Amino acid sequence: MIQEMIHVPFPGTPYPDVDILRQRVFEWFRSYGMLNADAAVLKHLSADIAGLGGSWYDAPVENILLPTCAPILAAMIDDQVDGALDRRPDLVAQLVNDLNSVMYTDPHVFSFPDAAVVQAFSGLWAGSAQGMSARWTAHLRSAWEQYYNAYIVETHNRFSGSMMKIDEYIPFRRESGYMYVGIAYLEQVQGFEVPPALRAMPQIRELHNICCDVISIANDIHSLEKEEKRGEIHNIAILLQHERHCSRHEAIDTTCKMIHEWCERFFVLENEIPVICQSFRLPEEITTAVQAHVTGLGKLIGGYCAWGRTTRRYHAYNATTADQPGFPESYL
């Protein structure tokens, strides 16, 4: 299977209380009127993104509930856009405007005021921001905005048939792939906000980018068959074939080599962290926290790739064509 072709030198560790986490996640979504139909529940359970969230974060269930609900909600929004809004940039822009406006206090007339995804994101945002600093909240807001705004670009490209160049796509995929959001939640769960001076360092920025790149591009391979069935054009393998006139096998092989090189670069940068912390004369406890943050980035990579090999989200029986809904229930 194509899902077995991605290998990374980071372990994926199952969450010990994953069944409790799965149940709490299910209850959270049901509280917003979601996951009622049997088909919707089965698709949600077969994806097991709750299991992915558990593998990402080392903390009690209560502390990782919202960070785990976040990628599930992101996937649900993605499935909604893949359905009724697939080639409607105008409606996608309205939905994105609603979702982004949730994160601000300015008055806003919502285009989808009763949409379950908007209501759920409102609850997610309020719970995530509670008790957090203004700086971290702004960081999370920016990550979500980048993620949502990418939907507008993707929908426009599908509508117009425009295909990105590889050198455009990889930085774009960092934003469309959710992981900047996931990294922000890593800081929250670890109880450590990366200091601005360190966040500005090229090594930290590159580590964050590598985490996004490996996970997002690996996801392109894991989801390739599912996305191709829908006529998706935002996928590294499809773009490589188009740009380089190569075979599918060659495109996947090239992608695997890119992922391997990124992982090797990650270890080089990780070894530079103690020297960087020393140059800033950081206290020992801050240096330890920074190193734990970098270890956490590796855990995000390992957890995703382990999940990507086992999830049924991308299996053929869960794939839909462009004229079918992306999810059994409509949340718009």
Side-chain angles (χ1 to χ4, degrees):
M1 292 178 63
I2 196 170
Q3 286 80 12
E4 298 288 339
M5 300 182 71
I6 302 294
H7 300 280
V8 297
F10 301 93
T13 307
Y15 187 64
D17 295 322
V18 68
D19 289 334
I20 298 173
L21 179 62
R22 288 177 179 131
Q23 182 60 32
R24 291 293 307 279
V25 164
F26 179 73
E27 292 168 356
W28 189 88
F29 280 98
R30 284 294 290 270
S31 73
Y32 289 98
M34 307 165 84
L35 299 178
N36 292 304
D38 289 346
V41 173
L42 286 173
K43 191 160 188 175
H44 164 73
L45 293 176
S46 71
D48 194 28
I49 303 177
L52 169 62
S55 73
W56 273 352
Y57 304 117
D58 288 321
V61 169
E62 197 61 38
N63 292 13
I64 69 170
L65 176 59
L66 292 183
T68 299
C69 288
I72 299 173
L73 182 58
M76 288 180 171
I77 294 170
D78 188 62
D79 288 342
Q80 299 298 306
V81 172
D82 278 349
L85 308 184
D86 186 42
R87 284 168 173 78
R88 290 292 306 273
D90 56 331
L91 295 181
V92 170
Q94 292 175 21
L95 176 62
V96 166
N97 193 31
D98 283 358
L99 292 164
N100 284 338
S101 295
V102 162
M103 298 182 284
Y104 294 89
T105 57
D106 299 336
H108 170 71
V109 178
F110 285 84
S111 301
F112 295 86
D114 300 320
V117 289
V118 175
Q119 297 298 321
F121 183 64
S122 180
L124 178 74
W125 174 255
S128 298
Q130 185 175 6
M132 299 301 294
S133 71
R135 184 173 64 200
W136 181 86
T137 303
H139 179 54
L140 180 64
R141 181 188 296 115
S142 175
W144 274 118
E145 286 182 320
Q146 288 177 325
Y147 175 75
Y148 288 141
N149 291 342
Y151 280 123
I152 301 174
V153 177
E154 289 181 333
T155 310
H156 167 76
N157 288 347
R158 284 193 293 268
F159 178 79
S160 64
S162 302
M163 299 188 73
M164 288 183 167
K165 299 292 186 182
I166 296 299
D167 60 356
E168 298 174 312
Y169 178 70
I170 291 176
F172 172 77
R173 191 70 174 96
R174 292 173 194 152
E175 299 179 358
S176 72
Y178 173 81
M179 286 314 301
Y180 282 140
V181 177
I183 292 171
Y185 278 118
L186 174 65
E187 294 185 35
Q188 183 184 54
V189 171
Q190 290 184 325
F192 173 73
E193 297 180 30
V194 177
L198 284 182
R199 195 185 296 281
M201 290 297 295
Q203 293 90 336
I204 296 293
R205 292 203 308 271
E206 190 175 353
L207 282 164
H208 286 172
N209 287 343
I210 289 173
C211 180
C212 293
D213 289 343
V214 172
I215 293 174
S216 299
I217 298 303
N219 178 258
D220 277 5
I221 301 303
H222 292 147
S223 63
L224 176 57
E225 293 164 336
K226 172 180 177 287
E227 293 186 342
E228 195 167 40
K229 187 173 181 179
R230 292 197 65 85
E232 180 58 81
I233 57 176
H234 300 93
N235 185 289
I236 189 71
I238 293 170
L239 293 173
L240 280 168
Q241 283 186 266
H242 175 77
E243 183 173 315
R244 301 186 182 180
H245 307 287
C246 63
S247 68
R248 173 60 50 84
H249 176 79
E250 289 170 328
I252 293 174
D253 186 58
T254 298
T255 304
C256 290
K257 289 177 180 176
M258 290 166 59
I259 290 172
H260 173 76
E261 290 171 1
W262 286 330
C263 290
E264 290 298 306
R265 177 63 179 162
F266 185 99
F267 291 126
V268 171
L269 293 166
E270 184 178 29
N271 289 332
E272 295 178 10
I273 295 302
V275 176
I276 295 171
C277 291
Q278 186 178 21
S279 73
F280 281 97
R281 300 181 183 274
L282 295 176
E284 183 178 349
E285 62 270 20
I286 298 297
T287 298
T288 300
V290 173
Q291 291 174 314
H293 175 73
V294 175
T295 299
L297 296 175
K299 188 175 176 66
L300 295 180
I301 295 172
Y304 168 78
C305 289
W307 172 83
R309 289 192 294 270
T310 60
T311 180
R312 287 172 285 169
R313 174 171 170 79
Y314 306 119
H315 283 200
Y317 63 80
N318 268 330
T320 56
T321 58
D323 60 346
Q324 295 175 311
F327 197 75
E329 291 179 337
S330 174
Y331 299 139
L332 300 176

